[in-house]
Amino acid sequence: MARINDNFLKLKAGYLFPEIGRRVGAYADANPDKAASLIKCGIGDVTEPLPAAVREAIHTAVDELGNRDTFRGYGPEQGYDFLREAIVENCYADLNISANDIFISDGSKCDTGNILDIFGKGNKIAVTDPVYPVYVDTNVMIGNTGEADEEGRYEGLVYLPCTAENDFVPAIPDEKVDIIYLCYPNNPSGASATREQLTAWVTYAKENDAIILYDAAYEAFIQDDDVPRSIYEIEGAHECALEFRSFSKNGGFTGIRCAYITIPETVTGVSATGERISIKQLWARRTSTKFNGASYPIQRGAEAIFSDAGKAQVVALVDHYMGNAKLLREACTEIGLKVFGGENAPYVWVACPEGLTSWDMFDKMLTEANVVITPGSGFGAAGEGYFRISAFNSRENVKEVCKRLKAYL
Ligand code: MLT
């Protein structure tokens, strides 16, 4: 008899996006005449082609692998030096991060889940509400929570409400926690965190000997020069924060997968015997055992993002998606909805019209406007009353969504 991990049975519904996919699939099957004009603004998946510089680099790398003299087998588990050095030079100049602090992976979704491998039991873990569901579900899977209550909040997690009143950046808790997940620019609310707000969190983490897991997957979409792009711009973060970054959304890598975690040597946790242990050393050990590195051609593609041509092409992609966000914001505002986000992030977060829940809004948009959005409650109890529109789409589709929003709301 093989015992299963019973923690999986605590998980509420299916993972949010497959669940939305299932509902949309059922609707499309029942309404074949509408399927062709259905516009998906649910999951934040890129729509525009891979930048030319990336494609060329991948082609070249594949050709290298086709030649005995330049063929490569297993790569370094932590990632190739050429990519880690390019990241340091381009993303962390003057921030006291070295190539040795960077761990290349095949995605931030896996990274934010896998990181729990190196933390022990009994940590008090704080998540924002609403939240990227991966942080919560992976803690449930590993046994860091009890059961969920009626609103879907798991016993044992500390939920930090993010509301319009606090600009979707959580207040510092009055209790002590050990691990805090922060994501800025934020998924799902599209909010960004100021330097002062991040400084308060770093100060809290240092005072409480806590670790911040900082998800900066949407950093490339920041438009405002005052908004920090990295947690390491904040003094003291090198002692208490890990940063997750991704090529998915800026470089269009959702289908080809490449991301990284940054872990300075000075971030430590405590062993059962009270010894200070380097988080980086644990993650290096875990990586070399469970991972054989991201694919060589894809790492070459990621490196090309930092070439002159690649940088210009990424700016064009970001401008495209942020132009979409602006149109979506304007359309929602015009019809009298309260709109948040979409200024430093590719997500527009909208208060539902009076009397409609998040899932009512999902159904209304699907069946009347033939548009898929994401219900706010799918990101947590505090997301109830909101919906998220992803700006990842073609301009043509976004203009059509704006038209339909105006027609149906
Ligand atoms: C989202 O829509 O929230 C994102 O696409 C999820 C992800 O990046 O995994």
PDB file of all heavy atoms in Angstrom, residues 15-17 41-46 108-110 112 131-134 187-188 215 217-218 246 248-249 254 257 347 374 379 388 390 392, ligand 1:
ATOM      1  N   TYR A  15      -6.055  24.114  -9.305  1.00  0.00           N
ATOM      2  CA  TYR A  15      -5.257  25.329  -9.423  1.00  0.00           C
ATOM      3  C   TYR A  15      -6.039  26.332 -10.276  1.00  0.00           C
ATOM      4  O   TYR A  15      -6.706  25.964 -11.248  1.00  0.00           O
ATOM      5  CB  TYR A  15      -3.887  25.001 -10.033  1.00  0.00           C
ATOM      6  CG  TYR A  15      -2.994  26.217 -10.121  1.00  0.00           C
ATOM      7  CD1 TYR A  15      -2.624  26.891  -8.963  1.00  0.00           C
ATOM      8  CD2 TYR A  15      -2.556  26.701 -11.336  1.00  0.00           C
ATOM      9  CE1 TYR A  15      -1.833  28.024  -9.026  1.00  0.00           C
ATOM     10  CE2 TYR A  15      -1.756  27.834 -11.415  1.00  0.00           C
ATOM     11  CZ  TYR A  15      -1.405  28.494 -10.259  1.00  0.00           C
ATOM     12  OH  TYR A  15      -0.636  29.620 -10.321  1.00  0.00           O
ATOM     13  N   LEU A  16      -5.985  27.610  -9.896  1.00  0.00           N
ATOM     14  CA  LEU A  16      -6.870  28.630 -10.469  1.00  0.00           C
ATOM     15  C   LEU A  16      -6.941  28.616 -12.001  1.00  0.00           C
ATOM     16  O   LEU A  16      -8.028  28.584 -12.577  1.00  0.00           O
ATOM     17  CB  LEU A  16      -6.432  30.009  -9.964  1.00  0.00           C
ATOM     18  CG  LEU A  16      -7.196  31.205 -10.524  1.00  0.00           C
ATOM     19  CD1 LEU A  16      -8.671  31.152 -10.145  1.00  0.00           C
ATOM     20  CD2 LEU A  16      -6.578  32.507 -10.020  1.00  0.00           C
ATOM     21  N   PHE A  17      -5.786  28.640 -12.670  1.00  0.00           N
ATOM     22  CA  PHE A  17      -5.844  28.842 -14.120  1.00  0.00           C
ATOM     23  C   PHE A  17      -6.348  27.612 -14.886  1.00  0.00           C
ATOM     24  O   PHE A  17      -7.160  27.768 -15.811  1.00  0.00           O
ATOM     25  CB  PHE A  17      -4.519  29.392 -14.639  1.00  0.00           C
ATOM     26  CG  PHE A  17      -4.288  30.788 -14.121  1.00  0.00           C
ATOM     27  CD1 PHE A  17      -3.347  31.044 -13.133  1.00  0.00           C
ATOM     28  CD2 PHE A  17      -5.063  31.833 -14.568  1.00  0.00           C
ATOM     29  CE1 PHE A  17      -3.188  32.326 -12.608  1.00  0.00           C
ATOM     30  CE2 PHE A  17      -4.924  33.117 -14.051  1.00  0.00           C
ATOM     31  CZ  PHE A  17      -3.975  33.361 -13.072  1.00  0.00           C
ATOM     32  N   CYS A  41      -8.258  37.154 -21.543  1.00  0.00           N
ATOM     33  CA  CYS A  41      -7.451  38.086 -20.741  1.00  0.00           C
ATOM     34  C   CYS A  41      -7.367  37.539 -19.322  1.00  0.00           C
ATOM     35  O   CYS A  41      -7.376  38.274 -18.346  1.00  0.00           O
ATOM     36  CB  CYS A  41      -8.089  39.464 -20.717  1.00  0.00           C
ATOM     37  SG  CYS A  41      -8.182  40.231 -22.325  1.00  0.00           S
ATOM     38  N   GLY A  42      -7.358  36.204 -19.208  1.00  0.00           N
ATOM     39  CA  GLY A  42      -7.303  35.556 -17.910  1.00  0.00           C
ATOM     40  C   GLY A  42      -5.858  35.373 -17.482  1.00  0.00           C
ATOM     41  O   GLY A  42      -5.230  36.292 -16.938  1.00  0.00           O
ATOM     42  N   ILE A  43      -5.307  34.212 -17.755  1.00  0.00           N
ATOM     43  CA  ILE A  43      -3.919  33.964 -17.359  1.00  0.00           C
ATOM     44  C   ILE A  43      -2.993  34.988 -18.038  1.00  0.00           C
ATOM     45  O   ILE A  43      -3.231  35.386 -19.178  1.00  0.00           O
ATOM     46  CB  ILE A  43      -3.489  32.512 -17.714  1.00  0.00           C
ATOM     47  CG1 ILE A  43      -2.150  32.187 -17.054  1.00  0.00           C
ATOM     48  CG2 ILE A  43      -3.434  32.288 -19.209  1.00  0.00           C
ATOM     49  CD1 ILE A  43      -1.825  30.694 -17.049  1.00  0.00           C
ATOM     50  N   GLY A  44      -1.971  35.402 -17.295  1.00  0.00           N
ATOM     51  CA  GLY A  44      -1.036  36.378 -17.834  1.00  0.00           C
ATOM     52  C   GLY A  44      -0.017  35.706 -18.726  1.00  0.00           C
ATOM     53  O   GLY A  44       1.127  35.511 -18.318  1.00  0.00           O
ATOM     54  N   ASP A  45      -0.468  35.325 -19.911  1.00  0.00           N
ATOM     55  CA  ASP A  45       0.461  34.656 -20.830  1.00  0.00           C
ATOM     56  C   ASP A  45       0.741  35.556 -22.015  1.00  0.00           C
ATOM     57  O   ASP A  45      -0.180  36.108 -22.625  1.00  0.00           O
ATOM     58  CB  ASP A  45      -0.145  33.324 -21.310  1.00  0.00           C
ATOM     59  CG  ASP A  45       0.888  32.449 -22.000  1.00  0.00           C
ATOM     60  OD1 ASP A  45       2.073  32.841 -22.030  1.00  0.00           O
ATOM     61  OD2 ASP A  45       0.504  31.380 -22.514  1.00  0.00           O
ATOM     62  N   VAL A  46       2.026  35.679 -22.344  1.00  0.00           N
ATOM     63  CA  VAL A  46       2.438  36.577 -23.423  1.00  0.00           C
ATOM     64  C   VAL A  46       1.861  36.116 -24.761  1.00  0.00           C
ATOM     65  O   VAL A  46       1.607  34.928 -24.970  1.00  0.00           O
ATOM     66  CB  VAL A  46       3.973  36.658 -23.500  1.00  0.00           C
ATOM     67  CG1 VAL A  46       4.523  37.362 -22.287  1.00  0.00           C
ATOM     68  CG2 VAL A  46       4.598  35.269 -23.644  1.00  0.00           C
ATOM     69  N   SER A 108       9.929  30.847 -12.522  1.00  0.00           N
ATOM     70  CA  SER A 108       9.711  31.356 -11.160  1.00  0.00           C
ATOM     71  C   SER A 108       8.585  30.619 -10.444  1.00  0.00           C
ATOM     72  O   SER A 108       8.552  30.586  -9.218  1.00  0.00           O
ATOM     73  CB  SER A 108       9.379  32.848 -11.189  1.00  0.00           C
ATOM     74  OG  SER A 108      10.535  33.577 -11.481  1.00  0.00           O
ATOM     75  N   LYS A 109       7.655  30.062 -11.216  1.00  0.00           N
ATOM     76  CA  LYS A 109       6.592  29.298 -10.566  1.00  0.00           C
ATOM     77  C   LYS A 109       7.229  28.125  -9.815  1.00  0.00           C
ATOM     78  O   LYS A 109       6.951  27.899  -8.630  1.00  0.00           O
ATOM     79  CB  LYS A 109       5.603  28.796 -11.618  1.00  0.00           C
ATOM     80  CG  LYS A 109       4.405  28.074 -11.071  1.00  0.00           C
ATOM     81  CD  LYS A 109       3.525  27.642 -12.243  1.00  0.00           C
ATOM     82  CE  LYS A 109       2.236  27.023 -11.819  1.00  0.00           C
ATOM     83  NZ  LYS A 109       1.411  26.645 -12.992  1.00  0.00           N
ATOM     84  N   CYS A 110       8.120  27.384 -10.519  1.00  0.00           N
ATOM     85  CA  CYS A 110       8.802  26.254  -9.866  1.00  0.00           C
ATOM     86  C   CYS A 110       9.690  26.767  -8.734  1.00  0.00           C
ATOM     87  O   CYS A 110       9.717  26.172  -7.649  1.00  0.00           O
ATOM     88  CB  CYS A 110       9.684  25.474 -10.833  1.00  0.00           C
ATOM     89  SG  CYS A 110       9.217  25.560 -12.533  1.00  0.00           S
ATOM     90  N   THR A 112       9.492  29.447  -6.801  1.00  0.00           N
ATOM     91  CA  THR A 112       8.811  29.894  -5.577  1.00  0.00           C
ATOM     92  C   THR A 112       8.188  28.703  -4.837  1.00  0.00           C
ATOM     93  O   THR A 112       7.988  28.766  -3.627  1.00  0.00           O
ATOM     94  CB  THR A 112       7.729  30.967  -5.866  1.00  0.00           C
ATOM     95  OG1 THR A 112       6.844  30.476  -6.868  1.00  0.00           O
ATOM     96  CG2 THR A 112       8.338  32.273  -6.301  1.00  0.00           C
ATOM     97  N   VAL A 131      -3.210  36.963  -3.381  1.00  0.00           N
ATOM     98  CA  VAL A 131      -1.852  36.437  -3.530  1.00  0.00           C
ATOM     99  C   VAL A 131      -1.755  35.562  -4.783  1.00  0.00           C
ATOM    100  O   VAL A 131      -2.761  34.991  -5.228  1.00  0.00           O
ATOM    101  CB  VAL A 131      -1.502  35.603  -2.269  1.00  0.00           C
ATOM    102  CG1 VAL A 131      -2.349  34.341  -2.165  1.00  0.00           C
ATOM    103  CG2 VAL A 131      -0.029  35.245  -2.192  1.00  0.00           C
ATOM    104  N   TYR A 132      -0.556  35.457  -5.321  1.00  0.00           N
ATOM    105  CA  TYR A 132      -0.286  34.492  -6.398  1.00  0.00           C
ATOM    106  C   TYR A 132      -0.479  33.095  -5.766  1.00  0.00           C
ATOM    107  O   TYR A 132       0.224  32.755  -4.801  1.00  0.00           O
ATOM    108  CB  TYR A 132       1.151  34.713  -6.872  1.00  0.00           C
ATOM    109  CG  TYR A 132       1.669  33.781  -7.950  1.00  0.00           C
ATOM    110  CD1 TYR A 132       0.890  33.414  -9.041  1.00  0.00           C
ATOM    111  CD2 TYR A 132       2.975  33.297  -7.885  1.00  0.00           C
ATOM    112  CE1 TYR A 132       1.396  32.582 -10.026  1.00  0.00           C
ATOM    113  CE2 TYR A 132       3.491  32.466  -8.872  1.00  0.00           C
ATOM    114  CZ  TYR A 132       2.687  32.114  -9.937  1.00  0.00           C
ATOM    115  OH  TYR A 132       3.189  31.288 -10.912  1.00  0.00           O
ATOM    116  N   PRO A 133      -1.431  32.299  -6.243  1.00  0.00           N
ATOM    117  CA  PRO A 133      -1.839  31.087  -5.510  1.00  0.00           C
ATOM    118  C   PRO A 133      -0.725  30.065  -5.290  1.00  0.00           C
ATOM    119  O   PRO A 133      -0.828  29.240  -4.375  1.00  0.00           O
ATOM    120  CB  PRO A 133      -2.938  30.482  -6.396  1.00  0.00           C
ATOM    121  CG  PRO A 133      -3.316  31.528  -7.379  1.00  0.00           C
ATOM    122  CD  PRO A 133      -2.208  32.514  -7.468  1.00  0.00           C
ATOM    123  N   VAL A 134       0.316  30.110  -6.079  1.00  0.00           N
ATOM    124  CA  VAL A 134       1.412  29.136  -5.943  1.00  0.00           C
ATOM    125  C   VAL A 134       2.035  29.188  -4.544  1.00  0.00           C
ATOM    126  O   VAL A 134       2.371  28.152  -3.967  1.00  0.00           O
ATOM    127  CB  VAL A 134       2.489  29.396  -7.026  1.00  0.00           C
ATOM    128  CG1 VAL A 134       3.723  28.548  -6.794  1.00  0.00           C
ATOM    129  CG2 VAL A 134       1.908  29.138  -8.412  1.00  0.00           C
ATOM    130  N   ASN A 187       1.304  40.751  -8.619  1.00  0.00           N
ATOM    131  CA  ASN A 187       0.314  39.893  -9.229  1.00  0.00           C
ATOM    132  C   ASN A 187      -0.577  39.422  -8.069  1.00  0.00           C
ATOM    133  O   ASN A 187      -0.046  38.812  -7.132  1.00  0.00           O
ATOM    134  CB  ASN A 187       0.984  38.688  -9.895  1.00  0.00           C
ATOM    135  CG  ASN A 187      -0.026  37.759 -10.523  1.00  0.00           C
ATOM    136  OD1 ASN A 187      -1.167  38.114 -10.712  1.00  0.00           O
ATOM    137  ND2 ASN A 187       0.428  36.549 -10.849  1.00  0.00           N
ATOM    138  N   PRO A 188      -1.862  39.716  -8.031  1.00  0.00           N
ATOM    139  CA  PRO A 188      -2.712  40.148  -9.134  1.00  0.00           C
ATOM    140  C   PRO A 188      -3.054  41.631  -9.202  1.00  0.00           C
ATOM    141  O   PRO A 188      -3.595  42.077 -10.213  1.00  0.00           O
ATOM    142  CB  PRO A 188      -4.002  39.397  -8.829  1.00  0.00           C
ATOM    143  CG  PRO A 188      -4.095  39.432  -7.331  1.00  0.00           C
ATOM    144  CD  PRO A 188      -2.671  39.284  -6.858  1.00  0.00           C
ATOM    145  N   ASP A 215       9.289  38.261  -4.931  1.00  0.00           N
ATOM    146  CA  ASP A 215       9.012  37.868  -6.311  1.00  0.00           C
ATOM    147  C   ASP A 215       8.954  39.133  -7.167  1.00  0.00           C
ATOM    148  O   ASP A 215       8.017  39.927  -7.063  1.00  0.00           O
ATOM    149  CB  ASP A 215       7.678  37.107  -6.350  1.00  0.00           C
ATOM    150  CG  ASP A 215       7.376  36.535  -7.720  1.00  0.00           C
ATOM    151  OD1 ASP A 215       8.045  36.912  -8.698  1.00  0.00           O
ATOM    152  OD2 ASP A 215       6.440  35.707  -7.817  1.00  0.00           O
ATOM    153  N   ALA A 217       9.019  39.153 -10.584  1.00  0.00           N
ATOM    154  CA  ALA A 217       8.848  38.657 -11.959  1.00  0.00           C
ATOM    155  C   ALA A 217       8.371  39.741 -12.927  1.00  0.00           C
ATOM    156  O   ALA A 217       8.570  39.628 -14.136  1.00  0.00           O
ATOM    157  CB  ALA A 217       7.863  37.485 -11.966  1.00  0.00           C
ATOM    158  N   TYR A 218       7.742  40.801 -12.389  1.00  0.00           N
ATOM    159  CA  TYR A 218       7.181  41.843 -13.268  1.00  0.00           C
ATOM    160  C   TYR A 218       7.996  43.135 -13.241  1.00  0.00           C
ATOM    161  O   TYR A 218       7.512  44.185 -13.647  1.00  0.00           O
ATOM    162  CB  TYR A 218       5.715  42.100 -12.876  1.00  0.00           C
ATOM    163  CG  TYR A 218       4.871  40.854 -13.066  1.00  0.00           C
ATOM    164  CD1 TYR A 218       4.633  39.976 -12.011  1.00  0.00           C
ATOM    165  CD2 TYR A 218       4.366  40.519 -14.315  1.00  0.00           C
ATOM    166  CE1 TYR A 218       3.899  38.809 -12.191  1.00  0.00           C
ATOM    167  CE2 TYR A 218       3.633  39.354 -14.506  1.00  0.00           C
ATOM    168  CZ  TYR A 218       3.406  38.509 -13.450  1.00  0.00           C
ATOM    169  OH  TYR A 218       2.682  37.354 -13.651  1.00  0.00           O
ATOM    170  N   SER A 246      12.301  36.535 -13.592  1.00  0.00           N
ATOM    171  CA  SER A 246      11.896  35.655 -14.689  1.00  0.00           C
ATOM    172  C   SER A 246      12.093  36.331 -16.040  1.00  0.00           C
ATOM    173  O   SER A 246      12.019  37.561 -16.136  1.00  0.00           O
ATOM    174  CB  SER A 246      10.415  35.331 -14.488  1.00  0.00           C
ATOM    175  OG  SER A 246       9.904  34.675 -15.597  1.00  0.00           O
ATOM    176  N   SER A 248      10.036  35.294 -18.396  1.00  0.00           N
ATOM    177  CA  SER A 248       8.759  34.927 -19.009  1.00  0.00           C
ATOM    178  C   SER A 248       8.026  36.106 -19.605  1.00  0.00           C
ATOM    179  O   SER A 248       7.560  36.054 -20.738  1.00  0.00           O
ATOM    180  CB  SER A 248       7.839  34.290 -17.970  1.00  0.00           C
ATOM    181  OG  SER A 248       8.175  32.949 -17.761  1.00  0.00           O
ATOM    182  N   LYS A 249       7.896  37.156 -18.808  1.00  0.00           N
ATOM    183  CA  LYS A 249       6.978  38.214 -19.223  1.00  0.00           C
ATOM    184  C   LYS A 249       7.682  39.313 -20.012  1.00  0.00           C
ATOM    185  O   LYS A 249       7.112  39.870 -20.931  1.00  0.00           O
ATOM    186  CB  LYS A 249       6.257  38.791 -18.001  1.00  0.00           C
ATOM    187  CG  LYS A 249       5.625  37.722 -17.086  1.00  0.00           C
ATOM    188  CD  LYS A 249       4.452  36.988 -17.720  1.00  0.00           C
ATOM    189  CE  LYS A 249       4.134  35.662 -17.050  1.00  0.00           C
ATOM    190  NZ  LYS A 249       3.204  35.660 -15.969  1.00  0.00           N
ATOM    191  N   THR A 254       7.417  32.486 -21.686  1.00  0.00           N
ATOM    192  CA  THR A 254       6.507  31.590 -20.940  1.00  0.00           C
ATOM    193  C   THR A 254       6.531  30.168 -21.504  1.00  0.00           C
ATOM    194  O   THR A 254       6.403  29.204 -20.763  1.00  0.00           O
ATOM    195  CB  THR A 254       5.045  32.106 -20.913  1.00  0.00           C
ATOM    196  OG1 THR A 254       4.621  32.318 -22.259  1.00  0.00           O
ATOM    197  CG2 THR A 254       4.915  33.401 -20.137  1.00  0.00           C
ATOM    198  N   ARG A 257      10.774  28.903 -21.089  1.00  0.00           N
ATOM    199  CA  ARG A 257      11.159  28.752 -19.692  1.00  0.00           C
ATOM    200  C   ARG A 257      12.595  29.167 -19.332  1.00  0.00           C
ATOM    201  O   ARG A 257      13.549  28.477 -19.680  1.00  0.00           O
ATOM    202  CB  ARG A 257      10.962  27.300 -19.198  1.00  0.00           C
ATOM    203  CG  ARG A 257       9.689  26.593 -19.595  1.00  0.00           C
ATOM    204  CD  ARG A 257       8.450  27.297 -19.129  1.00  0.00           C
ATOM    205  NE  ARG A 257       8.410  27.481 -17.700  1.00  0.00           N
ATOM    206  CZ  ARG A 257       7.779  28.524 -17.128  1.00  0.00           C
ATOM    207  NH1 ARG A 257       7.164  29.434 -17.867  1.00  0.00           N
ATOM    208  NH2 ARG A 257       7.776  28.635 -15.820  1.00  0.00           N
ATOM    209  N   TYR A 347      -1.037  44.084 -15.186  1.00  0.00           N
ATOM    210  CA  TYR A 347      -2.355  43.650 -14.733  1.00  0.00           C
ATOM    211  C   TYR A 347      -3.179  44.848 -14.292  1.00  0.00           C
ATOM    212  O   TYR A 347      -2.681  45.726 -13.576  1.00  0.00           O
ATOM    213  CB  TYR A 347      -2.233  42.670 -13.554  1.00  0.00           C
ATOM    214  CG  TYR A 347      -1.559  41.372 -13.937  1.00  0.00           C
ATOM    215  CD1 TYR A 347      -0.426  40.929 -13.258  1.00  0.00           C
ATOM    216  CD2 TYR A 347      -2.054  40.597 -14.988  1.00  0.00           C
ATOM    217  CE1 TYR A 347       0.205  39.739 -13.622  1.00  0.00           C
ATOM    218  CE2 TYR A 347      -1.427  39.416 -15.359  1.00  0.00           C
ATOM    219  CZ  TYR A 347      -0.303  38.994 -14.675  1.00  0.00           C
ATOM    220  OH  TYR A 347       0.306  37.821 -15.046  1.00  0.00           O
ATOM    221  N   THR A 374      -9.974  37.164 -14.917  1.00  0.00           N
ATOM    222  CA  THR A 374      -9.726  36.312 -13.748  1.00  0.00           C
ATOM    223  C   THR A 374     -10.486  36.868 -12.554  1.00  0.00           C
ATOM    224  O   THR A 374     -10.362  38.064 -12.246  1.00  0.00           O
ATOM    225  CB  THR A 374      -8.218  36.250 -13.419  1.00  0.00           C
ATOM    226  OG1 THR A 374      -7.518  35.917 -14.603  1.00  0.00           O
ATOM    227  CG2 THR A 374      -7.931  35.201 -12.361  1.00  0.00           C
ATOM    228  N   PHE A 379      -7.663  34.601  -6.133  1.00  0.00           N
ATOM    229  CA  PHE A 379      -6.353  34.928  -5.550  1.00  0.00           C
ATOM    230  C   PHE A 379      -6.429  35.055  -4.033  1.00  0.00           C
ATOM    231  O   PHE A 379      -5.446  35.438  -3.402  1.00  0.00           O
ATOM    232  CB  PHE A 379      -5.832  36.250  -6.128  1.00  0.00           C
ATOM    233  CG  PHE A 379      -5.608  36.229  -7.618  1.00  0.00           C
ATOM    234  CD1 PHE A 379      -6.526  36.810  -8.481  1.00  0.00           C
ATOM    235  CD2 PHE A 379      -4.488  35.637  -8.169  1.00  0.00           C
ATOM    236  CE1 PHE A 379      -6.330  36.806  -9.851  1.00  0.00           C
ATOM    237  CE2 PHE A 379      -4.278  35.627  -9.538  1.00  0.00           C
ATOM    238  CZ  PHE A 379      -5.198  36.205 -10.389  1.00  0.00           C
ATOM    239  N   ARG A 388      -9.426  40.720 -12.413  1.00  0.00           N
ATOM    240  CA  ARG A 388      -8.141  41.092 -13.002  1.00  0.00           C
ATOM    241  C   ARG A 388      -8.227  40.954 -14.515  1.00  0.00           C
ATOM    242  O   ARG A 388      -8.721  39.944 -15.017  1.00  0.00           O
ATOM    243  CB  ARG A 388      -7.035  40.183 -12.461  1.00  0.00           C
ATOM    244  CG  ARG A 388      -5.632  40.649 -12.823  1.00  0.00           C
ATOM    245  CD  ARG A 388      -4.578  39.592 -12.515  1.00  0.00           C
ATOM    246  NE  ARG A 388      -4.547  38.562 -13.538  1.00  0.00           N
ATOM    247  CZ  ARG A 388      -3.653  37.579 -13.613  1.00  0.00           C
ATOM    248  NH1 ARG A 388      -2.719  37.497 -12.686  1.00  0.00           N
ATOM    249  NH2 ARG A 388      -3.691  36.694 -14.577  1.00  0.00           N
ATOM    250  N   SER A 390      -5.747  40.834 -17.734  1.00  0.00           N
ATOM    251  CA  SER A 390      -4.350  40.762 -18.144  1.00  0.00           C
ATOM    252  C   SER A 390      -4.150  41.603 -19.395  1.00  0.00           C
ATOM    253  O   SER A 390      -4.962  41.563 -20.324  1.00  0.00           O
ATOM    254  CB  SER A 390      -3.993  39.298 -18.421  1.00  0.00           C
ATOM    255  OG  SER A 390      -2.816  39.252 -19.202  1.00  0.00           O
ATOM    256  N   PHE A 392      -1.655  41.178 -21.344  1.00  0.00           N
ATOM    257  CA  PHE A 392      -0.876  40.386 -22.308  1.00  0.00           C
ATOM    258  C   PHE A 392      -1.801  39.956 -23.440  1.00  0.00           C
ATOM    259  O   PHE A 392      -2.537  38.969 -23.321  1.00  0.00           O
ATOM    260  CB  PHE A 392      -0.263  39.162 -21.617  1.00  0.00           C
ATOM    261  CG  PHE A 392       0.816  39.498 -20.638  1.00  0.00           C
ATOM    262  CD1 PHE A 392       0.619  39.322 -19.276  1.00  0.00           C
ATOM    263  CD2 PHE A 392       2.032  39.993 -21.076  1.00  0.00           C
ATOM    264  CE1 PHE A 392       1.620  39.635 -18.363  1.00  0.00           C
ATOM    265  CE2 PHE A 392       3.051  40.310 -20.165  1.00  0.00           C
ATOM    266  CZ  PHE A 392       2.840  40.129 -18.812  1.00  0.00           C
TER     267      PHE A 392
HETATM  268  C1  MLT B   1      -0.845  34.777 -13.889  1.00  0.00           C
HETATM  269  O1  MLT B   1      -1.692  34.899 -14.761  1.00  0.00           O
HETATM  270  O2  MLT B   1      -1.060  35.076 -12.706  1.00  0.00           O
HETATM  271  C2  MLT B   1       0.489  34.279 -14.279  1.00  0.00           C
HETATM  272  O3  MLT B   1       0.542  33.992 -15.618  1.00  0.00           O
HETATM  273  C3  MLT B   1       0.818  33.090 -13.541  1.00  0.00           C
HETATM  274  C4  MLT B   1       2.221  32.680 -13.733  1.00  0.00           C
HETATM  275  O4  MLT B   1       3.078  33.445 -14.167  1.00  0.00           O
HETATM  276  O5  MLT B   1       2.472  31.528 -13.393  1.00  0.00           O
END
